[in-house]
Amino acid sequence: MTEAFAKPRKPTHSVQIGKVWIGSKHPVVVQSMTNTDTADIDASVKQISQLWRAGSELVRVTVNNPESAAAVPRIREKLLMMNIDVPIIGDFHYNGHQLLSAEPACAEALAKYRINPGNVGFGKKKDTQFAAIIEMALKYSKPVRIGVNWGSLDQSLAAMLMDENAQRAEPWDAPRVLREALVRSAIDSADKAVEIGMSRDRIILSAKVSGVQELVAVYRDLSKRSDFPLHLGLTEAGMGSKGITASAAALAILMQEGIGDTIRISLTPEPGGARTQEVIVAQELLQTMGLRAFTPLVTACPGCGRTTSEFFQELAKTVQEHVRDKMPEWKITNPGAENLTLAVMGCIVNGPGESRHANIGISLPGTGESPAAPVFIDGEKAVTLRGDNIAQEFVALIDDYVAKKFA
């Protein structure tokens, strides 16, 4: 981590979820969520394995009916047979107390329970049903995430705070009251869990909204008023570039301030798009901020009038896809390869200089330039590539470098 980002993190408890530790000085962890019907065991196993291979360190699944609860231990068993030991988190709304009680194998198989205080129960049943889930977590030694969402906020708490606000000499505006309701819901629920017997080092908090500025304000407040690990995410971020941009804008501000211990990028997948995109975006956000390294990233020029050929774009894509595909293998055989820096440049203006800054860089010829592509390795010109096999030869140089440098 570069000095610019080596900010002291807010002291928090460390929470263990399966074999993953979060909070305190542990690295920010990447989480994702399936969108399969959890009761469809084969589909869920397939998607969880895809998310895990993409780099998700925690995977949340919907547990909303008896069929999905009964499927969880079978999903876990099949994953372990594939040597995939990723922690699975159960997402409960409305009937979690019933499902955990009726399916003890599910309660045991899950690594963590997610509870939404806004819909864990209503009226007189709210506290009873919340307590029932906490007691199940205690019985099976599971941590919990108390996850508040402004789309399902505790209406009784919101109404109470509105009444309190009306009595102020200088009433707050409505957004501030809403933020206070989110923070209070999370903290008050955590305090109730502690009263029931839950250790403070088994609790994670989140308070998600879908607006960038609102999310930043809520988490700054939540961070000041609690010492629990915080799960970050811009809920319902949206599709494509909008969802990516909004999530990155909000989460980058918070993580730069040392706020946040797990993150999820809640993207709406493009039709037919891969669910794994949310994992890749989360990793790239952490890596481009200098907070973690997951896979070699490629520096590539945007192109201009000097680069009328599309070859450098195709090469950059080929290289990025190659190293991402190889990373699961390199993680085992060549640890440290995730820190490799690569450059694919399109002309002589910045090409040689940028390539020298990378571990391996190639400067392709621009329009009208000599048809030769010098390759720089650790700042020194190593070889010049020509002809129709530049892509294959450059990828081979990368593989050879990894094999020798990260043996």
Side-chain angles (χ1 to χ4, degrees):
M1 183 162 50
T2 60
E3 185 176 348
F5 295 103
K7 294 180 177 295
R9 293 179 59 76
K10 182 182 185 297
T12 63
H13 301 291
S14 294
V15 178
Q16 185 175 10
I17 305 171
K19 295 181 180 179
V20 177
W21 283 91
I22 69 169
S24 188
K25 296 181 180 179
H26 296 287
V28 178
V29 170
V30 174
Q31 179 172 316
S32 61
M33 185 174 183
T34 60
N35 62 355
T36 58
D37 179 357
T38 307
D40 186 337
I41 295 171
D42 289 341
S44 297
V45 167
K46 180 180 179 181
Q47 190 171 87
I48 292 171
S49 67
Q50 290 171 342
L51 292 166
W52 175 79
R53 288 191 176 90
S56 183
E57 295 159 298
L58 303 170
V59 179
R60 182 159 49 114
V61 301
T62 298
V63 186
N64 61 328
N65 53 40
E67 294 77 17
S68 62
V72 167
R74 296 174 64 189
I75 292 169
R76 175 80 174 142
E77 181 181 355
K78 286 198 169 191
L79 289 168
L80 290 174
M81 290 174 65
M82 300 163 63
N83 291 320
I84 298 175
D85 191 16
V86 62
I88 300 175
I89 301 161
D91 193 53
F92 295 101
H93 300 273
Y94 308 109
N95 59 353
H97 61 295
Q98 296 173 337
L99 297 174
L100 288 168
S101 177
E103 293 288 345
C106 171
E108 179 63 44
L110 291 170
K112 183 178 74 172
Y113 308 157
R114 186 274 174 119
I115 311 169
N116 185 341
N119 56 33
V120 70
F122 303 98
K124 296 179 180 179
K125 294 182 179 181
K126 177 186 174 183
D127 290 345
T128 302
Q129 293 175 186
F130 178 82
I133 298 180
I134 296 299
E135 287 165 359
M136 292 296 289
L138 291 170
K139 180 179 179 179
Y140 292 98
S141 299
K142 306 296 181 180
V144 298
R145 171 161 71 92
I146 296 172
V148 184
N149 191 300
W150 72 348
S152 51
L153 186 60
D154 182 345
Q155 293 304 304
S156 61
L157 174 61
M160 182 187 75
L161 292 178
M162 287 291 187
D163 290 341
E164 288 180 2
N165 187 55
Q167 304 303 316
R168 288 190 173 90
E170 296 183 7
W172 297 346
D173 58 21
R176 184 175 177 184
V177 178
L178 175 61
R179 293 197 298 270
E180 177 66 14
L182 288 161
V183 172
R184 280 278 300 276
S185 179
I187 293 175
D188 291 353
S189 297
D191 289 342
K192 288 177 184 176
V194 172
E195 289 174 10
I196 295 167
M198 179 69 69
S199 171
R200 296 182 71 85
D201 64 1
R202 305 292 279 168
I203 299 172
I204 299 161
L205 299 184
S206 66
K208 294 186 176 181
V209 300
S210 57
V212 171
Q213 297 296 347
E214 291 86 353
L215 191 83
V216 172
V218 165
Y219 273 93
R220 280 174 173 166
D221 200 6
L222 189 58
S223 177
K224 290 177 183 176
R225 293 164 60 178
S226 75
D227 59 356
F228 297 102
L230 301 179
H231 169 74
L232 303 185
L234 189 76
T235 192
E236 290 92 37
M239 182 181 290
S241 60
K242 184 269 178 184
I244 294 171
T245 302
S247 294
L251 272 57
I253 293 171
L254 293 167
M255 290 190 294
Q256 178 71 358
E257 297 175 5
I259 299 171
D261 302 283
T262 67
I263 65 170
R264 183 196 171 202
I265 307 296
S266 300
L267 295 180
T268 303
E270 301 278 357
R275 188 67 167 181
T276 52
Q277 186 187 21
E278 67 176 56
V279 178
I280 294 170
V281 172
Q283 289 181 330
E284 290 178 347
L285 174 58
L286 289 170
Q287 189 154 353
T288 53
M289 289 186 68
L291 297 174
R292 288 189 68 182
F294 296 95
T295 187
L297 294 181
V298 179
T299 298
C301 72
C304 65
R306 291 176 176 269
T307 56
T308 53
S309 168
E310 293 183 354
F311 180 69
F312 84 94
Q313 299 165 320
E314 295 167 355
L315 179 59
K317 182 180 179 182
T318 296
V319 170
Q320 186 68 78
E321 290 177 349
H322 175 76
V323 296
R324 185 168 288 280
D325 289 343
K326 293 284 287 186
M327 201 57 230
E329 174 190 336
W330 287 344
K331 190 183 298 184
I332 299 169
T333 60
N334 304 88
E338 64 273 11
N339 296 297
L340 180 68
T341 57
L342 304 169
V344 176
M345 302 302 292
C347 78
I348 199 172
V349 175
N350 294 318
E354 194 73 56
S355 296
R356 285 190 175 92
H357 288 306
N359 293 127
I360 308 177
I362 186 169
S363 179
L364 295 166
T367 305
E369 294 176 14
S370 175
V375 175
F376 299 83
I377 298 179
D378 289 332
E380 300 294 331
K381 183 177 176 181
V383 64
T384 298
L385 303 182
R386 296 180 174 86
D388 298 329
N389 295 316
I390 288 178
Q392 296 91 323
E393 292 174 7
F394 185 64
V395 165
L397 288 170
I398 294 171
D399 289 345
D400 183 64
Y401 184 93
V402 169
K404 293 177 180 177
K405 187 78 171 181
F406 303 103

